[in-house]
Amino acid sequence: MDHVKDVRVLCERGFTLIELMISLLITSVIVAAGYTILTATHKATIANEQAVGTQQNVRVAMELIARDIKLAGFRMLSSPNVPVGGVGSDCAPGSTASAISPTDADPASNNDKGADSLALVVPKSDPSWTLAGAVPLASTSFNTITLSAAAVTSMKAEGMKDGSSAYVSIGGVVTLPVTSSTGATITLGTSTNFPVTFPSGTPVHLLQCVKYFVGTTTAACGNVGPCLLRKVDSGTDPAVTTNIVDGVEDLQFAYACDGCNALINSGVPNRVIDDFNGNNTFDQADFQTDRVWAVGTFDPATIRLVQVNIVARQGKQDQGLGEGKASGTLTAAPLQVSDHLHSADAGYDPATYKAFRRRLLTRTVDTRNMDQ
């Protein structure tokens, strides 16, 4: 009996206070380590998502701009009666129509103090915008075209305003001004003569003036920082401006031309990019920045290549990878993008600038529709 009692008493003994304290200490260390790992993993995931998002943004912005540069002109009239978007549009600097209208942020300086902008005449298309019948039919010329009534209504919704700087392109071959539109019929301001003929089903495009530029205000971009804005002007008033890509901080354009310099080949285009530094080699020095592009000086119609530089930054600062808030230096030094040094901008703050991760993408685009 005594032996059984001793065993029962031994089994009923609990943990001592010291043992409990040691257990609590070990548990606390394990929980703290797990929390630190969880916090670091969570912050690293957010930082990675922001980096991927920034990379995607800069690529999307480049694809949109490059596509419109390739289409710029689209058989537009060399001297239209009214420029696309009207004489006050971004595609009519000095009231002269231009398929490409560059605007440098600071052409009087050798160093920009902000983002450039670029306006382009491009086609707006829709699968339903096609000729309902061949033109011309029984005559040698035509000044009207017939689509479906729904197609004409759709084109009006996109800005085809009668007699007000609206232009349509038939098959990308002939571009004509719109005088009026009733039902399914569009009356054109200029007649087209035989032998130019278009079969039923030929696509009809509406020319628009689009402008790409960087927005910096909350009203334009929301709370995500700077953004890429696209302004569309089809002849309606007012034009429509839309935030199309978040995080775009800088746009810089440089242009290679053929016949823009009167000192090279007497200013006569010869299908060779103007060699500005005279080394008989096409290189970076042949791309022009800080120019006022206008007829009589540097004619924008001579532009053959556009070098596009886009900088996108993440929407928010990283919170660091530990338990602290410091994110470290994500952009080591102010970027030099073409002729734009970011530290020259008004309000530049080194600490804030370095706290954001950035991506720079550069591409040279052929203006394949400009020399048609």
Side-chain angles (χ1 to χ4, degrees), residues 250-292:
D250 191 16
L251 282 179
Q252 295 297 319
F253 300 101
Y255 307 91
C257 53
D258 175 21
C260 65
N261 190 339
L263 300 179
I264 300 175
N265 197 39
S266 301
V268 178
N270 59 356
R271 297 188 177 274
V272 177
I273 297 298
D274 288 350
D275 184 13
F276 276 80
N277 58 2
N279 63 355
N280 296 318
T281 302
F282 174 60
D283 52 26
Q284 187 62 37
D286 296 324
F287 283 97
Q288 298 300 294
T289 62
D290 296 318
R291 297 289 188 183
V292 177

Side-chain angles (χ1 to χ4, degrees), residues 92 107 114-115 124 140 157 160 162 198 245 280 306 313:
K124 170 68 177 180
T140 59
M160 187 181 71
D162 296 346
F198 299 97
V245 183
N280 296 318
V306 180
R313 79 176 196 193

Side-chain angles (χ1 to χ4, degrees), residues 38-101:
L38 180 63
T39 300
T41 302
H42 177 65
K43 290 184 175 181
T45 300
I46 294 177
N48 184 63
E49 289 176 349
Q50 289 207 115
V52 171
T54 302
Q55 187 75 15
Q56 290 176 337
N57 285 347
V58 74
R59 290 187 180 278
V60 169
M62 181 63 77
E63 290 302 321
L64 292 172
I65 294 175
R67 178 200 62 188
D68 280 347
I69 290 175
K70 292 175 183 178
L71 293 175
F74 205 73
R75 292 286 188 181
M76 65 177 284
L77 301 181
S78 58
S79 300
N81 299 323
V82 181
V84 174
V87 294
S89 80
D90 296 300
C91 294
S95 300
T96 300
S98 179
I100 292 183
S101 300

Side-chain angles (χ1 to χ4, degrees), residues 22-333:
I22 293 174
S23 299
L24 288 173
L25 177 61
I26 294 174
T27 302
S28 298
V29 171
I30 294 174
V31 171
Y35 178 78
T36 300
I37 294 173
L38 180 63
T39 300
T41 302
H42 177 65
K43 290 184 175 181
T45 300
I46 294 177
N48 184 63
E49 289 176 349
Q50 289 207 115
V52 171
T54 302
Q55 187 75 15
Q56 290 176 337
N57 285 347
V58 74
R59 290 187 180 278
V60 169
M62 181 63 77
E63 290 302 321
L64 292 172
I65 294 175
R67 178 200 62 188
D68 280 347
I69 290 175
K70 292 175 183 178
L71 293 175
F74 205 73
R75 292 286 188 181
M76 65 177 284
L77 301 181
S78 58
S79 300
N81 299 323
V82 181
V84 174
V87 294
S89 80
D90 296 300
C91 294
S95 300
T96 300
S98 179
I100 292 183
S101 300
T103 301
D104 197 87
D106 188 9
S109 169
N110 289 325
N111 182 60
D112 284 356
K113 294 180 175 62
D116 294 343
S117 63
L118 181 64
L120 308 158
V121 174
V122 298
K124 170 68 177 180
S125 304
D126 187 281
S128 67
W129 297 356
T130 59
L131 293 179
V135 291
L137 285 176
S139 62
T140 59
S141 65
F142 68 93
N143 69 340
T144 62
I145 56 177
T146 302
L147 290 73
S148 69
V152 174
T153 300
S154 175
M155 295 177 78
K156 286 184 176 180
E158 291 292 340
M160 187 181 71
K161 189 176 181 180
D162 296 346
S164 178
S165 61
Y167 284 80
V168 293
S169 174
I170 306 174
V173 176
V174 175
T175 298
L176 302 167
V178 175
T179 300
S180 63
S181 55
T182 304
T185 301
I186 296 176
T187 301
L188 306 171
T190 304
S191 295
T192 299
N193 298 319
F194 188 83
V196 178
T197 60
F198 299 97
S200 175
T202 300
V204 179
H205 312 274
L206 174 65
L207 294 194
Q208 297 178 322
C209 174
V210 300
K211 179 182 179 181
Y212 288 99
F213 60 107
V214 172
T216 57
T217 64
T218 301
C221 303
N223 296 318
V224 293
C227 64
L228 178 64
L229 299 177
R230 188 176 190 263
K231 179 182 178 184
V232 179
D233 186 350
S234 301
T236 58
D237 187 21
V240 178
T241 301
T242 307
N243 170 14
I244 56 173
V245 183
D246 292 334
V248 174
E249 182 180 55
D250 191 16
L251 282 179
Q252 295 297 319
F253 300 101
Y255 307 91
C257 53
D258 175 21
C260 65
N261 190 339
L263 300 179
I264 300 175
N265 197 39
S266 301
V268 178
N270 59 356
R271 297 188 177 274
V272 177
I273 297 298
D274 288 350
D275 184 13
F276 276 80
N277 58 2
N279 63 355
N280 296 318
T281 302
F282 174 60
D283 52 26
Q284 187 62 37
D286 296 324
F287 283 97
Q288 298 300 294
T289 62
D290 296 318
R291 297 289 188 183
V292 177
W293 292 86
V295 176
T297 54
F298 274 68
D299 191 340
T302 64
I303 294 173
R304 294 295 173 262
L305 297 173
V306 180
Q307 188 179 79
V308 186
N309 299 277
I310 304 177
V311 177
R313 79 176 196 193
Q314 62 191 60
K316 298 179 181 178
Q317 296 184 26
D318 290 345
Q319 296 182 358
L321 298 181
E323 296 182 38
K325 295 291 185 180
S327 60
T329 299
L330 300 180
T331 301

